[in-house]
Amino acid sequence: MFNKMLINPSYTGGTDKLKTSIGYRQQHVGLSGAPNTQFITIHAPIIKKKMGLGLKLVHENVGVTNQNSLVAAYAYHISLSKAKLSFGLEGGIFNQSIDFSNLITTSPDDNALPKNKASVIIPDVSFGVYYHSEKFYFGAAAYHLLQNKMNFSGYSESDRLVVGQLSSHVYVTTGLTLTAGDNIKLEPSLLLRYAVG
């Protein structure tokens, strides 16, 4: 949540200069298949046109699955008396691959599962709204709006099809900026995520 562009496209170009972030996150270190995420975001304002443009590349690995997304983001910023209201839209491609050969099964010769790695690429669209003033912010975003089906192929058993679906996710974030001294500011914040279904 410290890189707001990752969870809300309406934050794109919300600063007064070009901003680039590179991140790496690993969870449950030492466990096989533990989640890890890498990302690069870059965005900038086009101040005279009250908008922002950006790019986002995210890779996530959890167990036998790998997810990659590459999206372009656009935001329109409306100046209010002491705050700013932004609307954002992003679109691009989403790739998920599953390495079925690395699954641990109770029956090694289970013919219901593919034997190899399968991959799919689908379009993806997200939308968000973001309000912020000097001391308060609130944002909401809906990801994977198309809820596309993922028909995995690339394995020899052509008479069967592995199908998944990309579920929509809703993110809500809010926070306050509190001054605790001349050079100290505290920012208590809250992030909620809801996966549809």
Side-chain angles (χ1 to χ4, degrees):
M1 69 184 295
F2 299 109
N3 182 343
K4 293 182 178 74
M5 189 185 170
L6 278 177
I7 56 172
N8 196 328
S10 59
Y11 186 75
T12 302
T15 59
D16 59 352
K17 53 184 73 96
L18 176 74
K19 188 171 184 180
T20 302
S21 298
I22 299 174
Y24 177 86
R25 176 182 182 271
Q26 189 165 4
Q27 186 176 320
H28 308 307
V29 177
L31 292 178
S32 177
N36 67 75
T37 306
Q38 303 91 44
F39 66 83
I40 298 172
T41 60
I42 181 167
H43 62 108
I46 301 176
I47 297 170
K48 290 183 179 179
K49 297 192 176 182
K50 300 179 181 180
M51 62 183 184
L53 298 174
L55 288 171
K56 178 168 64 175
L57 176 63
V58 180
H59 169 78
E60 187 169 40
N61 172 243
V62 181
V64 297
T65 64
N66 280 290
Q67 296 178 351
N68 299 291
S69 62
L70 174 62
V71 298
Y74 167 84
Y76 185 75
H77 307 287
I78 301 169
S79 295
L80 306 174
S81 59
K82 292 185 178 180
K84 189 184 282 187
L85 180 63
S86 304
F87 299 92
L89 184 66
E90 68 180 30
I93 56 172
F94 179 88
N95 163 252
Q96 183 174 54
S97 62
I98 302 175
D99 191 352
F100 292 97
S101 64
N102 283 333
L103 287 174
I104 299 171
T105 62
T106 55
S107 176
D109 297 322
D110 188 347
N111 289 328
L113 292 172
K115 305 280 188 260
N116 304 314
K117 188 174 184 178
S119 183
V120 66
I121 297 175
I122 55 176
D124 195 20
V125 175
S126 304
F127 174 79
V129 61
Y130 185 71
Y131 171 89
H132 70 99
S133 63
E134 187 179 341
K135 296 187 177 182
F136 173 77
Y137 68 88
F138 175 84
Y143 275 74
H144 313 311
L145 291 174
L146 301 177
Q147 295 187 342
N148 284 322
K149 286 189 176 180
M150 297 180 284
N151 297 320
F152 290 95
S153 59
Y155 52 90
S156 58
E157 292 83 358
S158 59
D159 58 329
R160 289 187 303 278
L161 195 62
V162 176
V163 178
Q165 186 170 5
L166 196 58
S167 297
S168 292
H169 285 63
V170 177
Y171 293 86
V172 176
T173 184
T174 188
L176 295 169
T177 302
L178 306 172
T179 302
D182 291 339
N183 297 313
I184 299 173
K185 290 186 177 181
L186 302 175
E187 189 176 290
S189 54
L190 176 68
L191 170 64
L192 301 174
R193 183 180 81 171
Y194 173 72
V196 176

